Amino acid sequence: MPATPAYPPHSAPRLFVDVELSDGAEIRLDGSHAHYLLKVMRIKQGDPVKLFDDRTGEYLAHVTTLGKRDLILSIDGKTREREAVPDLWLCTAPIKKDRFNWIAEKATELGVDRLLPVQTERTQNMHIKADKLRFHMIEAAEQCERTALPVLAPLVKLDEMLENWPEDRHLFFADERLHETGEGSFRKALVAHDGPAAILVGPEGGFSDSENEMIRALPQSVPISLGPRILRAETAALAAISLWMAGRGDWSP
Ligand code: SAM
């Protein structure tokens, strides 16, 4: 006898909606959401859709009314509470557009709480398209089953960020120069530094000498090495997030 299929099927579309959801509510979707469900997914009346709101959690809904350019969903019930997000920020200099979008997408998948674009002396791309970046973060959260979106902070100058740095937050400073000295074990730094954290990664050309000194002068700064090879900025960001998540985040059972 065939096994009863799981309901909702894993393939049920999953969307972020920017309104507070609740059991029994009716939600009208139009614009890109409606286009996706109607034209791409070819959704039918009664089909299940998962929704999350970044406020209260994730819900199962089904389609009650199909229009040409909009549709109405009725929420059946909550499937998950909004998750507790590990307290990790990623502070990183904007790099070329596509690669920065990629960082935003992957940092979302890996579970960061906040993305802070940082303007440094050698930052080449000063034009952050916040709406595009947020779009990539939302798509990543929809796909990876997150129930919370990372906060996207506005672009901040490095010196301003350091001046206003929170007293209780460690700043793991990815410094590629450390591989020459063999110092900066991230593993040891993670053992020694518990609590709220951030990772700081430089632009394609790295930090200048004066920036390096300024970062190190911050008492919360913890210089770390990511191994003997010079990584591209996006690789460094993802490697550092992964190590932190495995040591201090929510990757451990
Ligand atoms: N200064 C170099 C240059 O342009 O010749 C490389 C900069 S690297 C491409 C960009 C950023 O990635 C660095 O500022 C640093 O934050 C991080 N990074 C790359 N490799 C690293 C490593 N092995 N250890 C720590 N951080 C690293």
Side-chain angles (χ1 to χ4, degrees):
M1 197 164 79
T4 310
Y7 187 84
H10 287 306
S11 56
R14 186 171 185 278
L15 296 174
F16 163 70
V17 286
D18 201 3
V19 292
E20 186 162 323
L21 300 171
S22 59
D23 289 359
E26 291 216 319
I27 305 291
R28 180 177 163 272
L29 298 180
D30 56 10
S32 58
H33 278 146
H35 176 83
Y36 172 70
L37 292 176
L38 294 168
K39 308 284 185 226
V40 181
M41 299 304 292
R42 302 201 175 280
I43 203 146
K44 297 188 283 303
Q45 191 144 352
D47 279 355
V49 178
K50 293 177 193 170
L51 301 173
F52 70 103
D53 61 2
D54 190 28
R55 297 168 172 92
T56 60
E58 181 194 74
Y59 297 78
L60 181 61
H62 68 276
V63 179
T64 56
T65 312
L66 283 175
K68 279 218 162 81
R69 291 195 181 78
D70 64 355
L71 67 169
I72 295 174
L73 306 180
S74 174
I75 294 185
D76 303 321
K78 191 185 268 191
T79 45
R80 285 192 293 154
E81 295 295 333
R82 186 181 188 274
E83 71 205 55
V85 181
D87 198 352
L88 180 67
W89 299 356
L90 174 65
C91 311
T92 185
I95 53 174
K96 284 186 195 134
K97 189 183 73 185
D98 289 349
R99 285 165 48 203
F100 200 56
N101 289 341
W102 192 82
I103 290 183
E105 179 185 297
K106 299 304 165 202
T108 303
E109 285 177 42
L110 292 172
V112 301
D113 180 46
R114 182 178 291 253
L115 174 63
L116 289 93
V118 187
Q119 185 178 325
T120 68
E121 278 177 36
R122 297 179 184 155
T123 302
Q124 288 172 16
N125 167 22
M126 302 286 191
H127 305 289
I128 299 281
K129 290 209 168 134
D131 52 339
K132 291 268 167 57
L133 266 183
R134 191 166 149 79
F135 170 82
H136 284 281
M137 292 161 85
I138 289 172
E139 266 203 344
E142 288 173 346
Q143 174 270 327
C144 77
E145 307 250 323
R146 270 187 83 153
T147 53
L149 295 175
V151 173
L152 174 60
L155 183 70
V156 62
K157 289 188 177 151
L158 178 66
D159 54 353
E160 282 171 20
M161 183 185 88
L162 296 175
E163 267 164 35
N164 298 306
W165 194 255
E167 258 178 41
D168 65 343
R169 185 171 295 274
H170 304 299
L171 181 63
F172 293 106
F173 162 40
D175 184 358
E176 75 280 7
R177 302 175 196 191
L178 282 175
H179 82 271
E180 289 160 16
T181 62
E183 292 163 32
S185 156
F186 200 2
R187 195 167 47 81
K188 286 187 190 157
L190 286 176
V191 173
H193 299 93
D194 193 5
I199 287 159
L200 175 61
V201 172
E204 287 95 337
F207 291 105
S208 68
D209 289 346
S210 59
E211 287 177 330
N212 192 299
E213 274 171 34
M214 187 166 63
I215 299 164
R216 283 168 175 270
L218 183 80
Q220 299 90 319
S221 165
V222 184
I224 50 133
S225 166
L226 296 169
R229 289 162 291 276
I230 304 294
L231 309 176
R232 288 170 74 140
E234 65 268 38
T235 315
L238 300 199
I241 296 170
S242 305
L243 288 166
W244 188 90
M245 282 292 168
R248 288 284 178 196
D250 60 5
W251 290 14
S252 339

